[in-house]
Amino acid sequence: MSTAPVVVVGSGPAGAAAARECLRLGCGPVIVLERNSRPWRKPCGGGLSPGAIKQLRRLGMWPAVQPHRYPIRSLRLVTPGGQQYLLGDRETAAVIDRLRLDELLRRQLRRAGAQLR
């Protein structure tokens, strides 16, 4: 049986996760298309939530990102209604420069066998 290539549009976090999962599942050759030849800055694009960190771990990409992130060990949130939430005692989130994050994810995709265009 022959397999058709999988084409993923965009090499940001969502596209990188989709491409990595396709590679992990052996769906076929994976081609990642990126519209911009040079990366661009995105406001607030470097915040990694607990869920994002969990997905990066599941995809095997966290070890490449972890040394470059700034860990957030505690966080106090207050809603407009006055409710407060406190997260703490361990790393719950992280911050990384978005340009660096995208670079690290693209590098991991290339190592895993994706073609980036």
Side-chain angles (χ1 to χ4, degrees):
M1 172 175 18
S2 64
T3 59
V6 173
V7 177
V8 176
V9 179
S11 64
R20 185 67 185 99
E21 186 69 0
C22 288
L23 288 164
R24 188 183 72 75
L25 294 172
C27 294
V30 175
I31 300 168
V32 180
L33 303 176
E34 180 56 59
R35 173 179 45 176
N36 298 305
S37 60
R38 289 185 290 165
W40 67 98
R41 292 220 177 264
K42 297 176 185 124
C44 301
L48 299 176
S49 69
I53 292 171
K54 180 180 177 181
Q55 290 304 314
L56 287 169
R57 282 188 174 120
R58 188 181 69 76
L59 294 167
M61 299 173 102
W62 182 243
V65 174
Q66 186 177 15
H68 304 279
R69 64 51 174 120
Y70 178 83
I72 305 298
R73 297 195 194 318
S74 65
L75 179 65
R76 180 177 172 233
L77 301 171
V78 181
T79 69
Q83 288 184 304
Q84 294 187 36
Y85 300 93
L86 182 62
L87 305 172
D89 289 335
R90 58 182 172 80
E91 182 175 346
T92 56
V95 178
I96 184 172
D97 178 81
R98 179 57 189 268
L99 293 177
R100 183 71 172 140
L101 175 62
D102 286 352
E103 174 192 329
L104 293 166
L105 296 178
R106 285 191 300 271
R107 187 180 303 160
Q108 290 299 304
L109 289 176
R110 282 188 194 98
R111 286 183 182 155
Q115 299 173 39
L116 277 76
R117 299 183 186 167

